[in-house]
Amino acid sequence: MAETVALESRRRVLVIEDDETTAAEITRELTNRGFDVQWVADGAIGLKEASSGTYDLITLDRMLPGLDGLSIASTLKANGVDTPILMISSLYDVDERIEGLLAGGDDYLSKPFALTEMAARVEVLLRRRKADADRLFLRFAGLELDLVNHVARRGGRDLRLFPKELKLLEMFMRNSGQVLTRAMIFETVWGYRFDPGTNLIDVHVGTLRKKLEAVGGPPLLHTARGVGYVLSVQP
């Protein structure tokens, strides 16, 4: 069972490369580093495979039979496939590199290249993608907040939150474990630089608390009497 989990967690790389020697070298290097590598030699087939969105990264040769690398990169980006692309080409002048990047490549590597540099660029692109994902998703104690689609879940169950409740939850999740004062909440969520002397915050926090607890699990939103509120797991 442990072996199955390890295999499923391996990062997947699609190599679209018509040169068999180059493809074999890339595949061998990345496989030795723990990647699950799939090789495709034809451009049209490569585009179809890449469009599945199931890969963590794509290495893409620029000159390919069937469909060239620039067309593949631009089509993927136009269709919303955000898989990082390492463009690889024997065309190495500045204009060619710029054209590759503008078409949708995230990095550009000229042939011939050192396999260690290729692997390092792959790792950097994957770290950058993870950092981007971490900025778009917030997680805390079974809570998940998708900042792109404005969807919140707890324990895998959707929470029906209004815009102000989503913004309030985002603030709490970004500052989990920290007591947030009424003044801090008013300024961040409502844009007030002063307390208007209403029960606006109490009402919204109370509603948010009920919605969090309605899907199950221990209370996460707590009142710090006389100070404010805190999102935390308390014994």
Side-chain angles (χ1 to χ4, degrees):
M1 180 63 69
E3 182 179 358
T4 301
V5 173
L7 288 173
E8 289 177 350
S9 64
R10 292 174 68 188
R11 295 168 295 178
R12 302 188 70 210
V13 175
L14 175 63
V15 175
I16 307 177
E17 169 64 62
D18 67 322
D19 182 79
E20 187 172 349
T21 299
T22 301
E25 290 175 345
I26 294 173
T27 299
R28 183 172 57 252
E29 180 71 20
L30 294 180
T31 299
N32 288 341
R33 292 172 180 265
F35 290 91
D36 180 7
V37 184
Q38 175 74 29
W39 170 42
V40 174
D42 178 84
I45 298 175
L47 174 60
K48 182 178 179 180
E49 186 70 21
S51 296
S52 68
T54 59
Y55 291 91
D56 296 295
L57 183 134
I58 300 166
T59 71
L60 178 60
D61 186 23
R62 192 158 162 181
M63 309 297 290
L64 290 163
L67 195 66
D68 67 274
L70 292 180
S71 298
I72 292 174
S74 59
T75 300
L76 289 174
K77 298 304 181 184
N79 291 339
V81 179
D82 62 352
T83 308
I85 296 173
L86 174 59
M87 190 82 73
I88 296 177
S89 177
S90 56
L91 304 174
Y92 53 82
D93 65 40
V94 173
D95 289 341
E96 298 292 349
R97 293 200 300 273
I98 292 174
E99 190 176 11
L101 294 172
L102 291 177
D106 296 279
D107 196 1
Y108 196 102
L109 185 62
S110 300
K111 298 178 181 179
F113 54 83
L115 290 171
T116 52
E117 180 184 1
M118 179 276 301
R121 288 173 181 262
V122 166
E123 292 286 2
V124 167
L125 286 175
L126 289 173
R127 285 202 301 270
R128 185 187 303 165
R129 188 189 196 193
K130 183 179 184 303
D132 290 342
D134 288 343
R135 285 193 290 270
L136 299 177
F137 288 87
L138 299 178
R139 296 177 177 86
F140 175 79
L143 274 176
E144 296 181 356
L145 180 56
D146 181 343
L147 298 173
V148 175
N149 297 304
H150 309 290
V151 174
R153 298 182 181 89
R154 184 178 186 185
R157 299 178 62 184
D158 287 351
L159 301 171
R160 296 180 179 275
L161 303 183
F162 292 110
K164 275 291 188 287
E165 294 166 351
L166 283 167
K167 194 166 184 180
L168 190 58
L169 180 60
E170 178 184 350
M171 183 181 185
F172 279 120
M173 292 183 72
R174 289 190 183 280
N175 300 277
S176 58
Q178 176 184 342
V179 175
L180 302 181
T181 66
R182 293 172 62 87
M184 293 166 65
I185 296 172
F186 268 126
E187 182 170 354
T188 301
V189 179
W190 278 272
Y192 298 159
R193 293 185 177 275
F194 60 93
D195 186 338
T198 70
N199 65 345
L200 193 62
I201 289 180
D202 307 295
V203 170
H204 279 77
V205 171
T207 302
L208 178 59
R209 182 167 18 214
K210 289 178 181 177
K211 290 183 178 182
L212 292 178
E213 295 177 7
V215 296
L220 293 177
L221 261 180
H222 306 277
T223 301
R225 294 194 180 280
V227 183
Y229 301 91
V230 59
L231 182 74
S232 66
V233 178
Q234 296 188 359

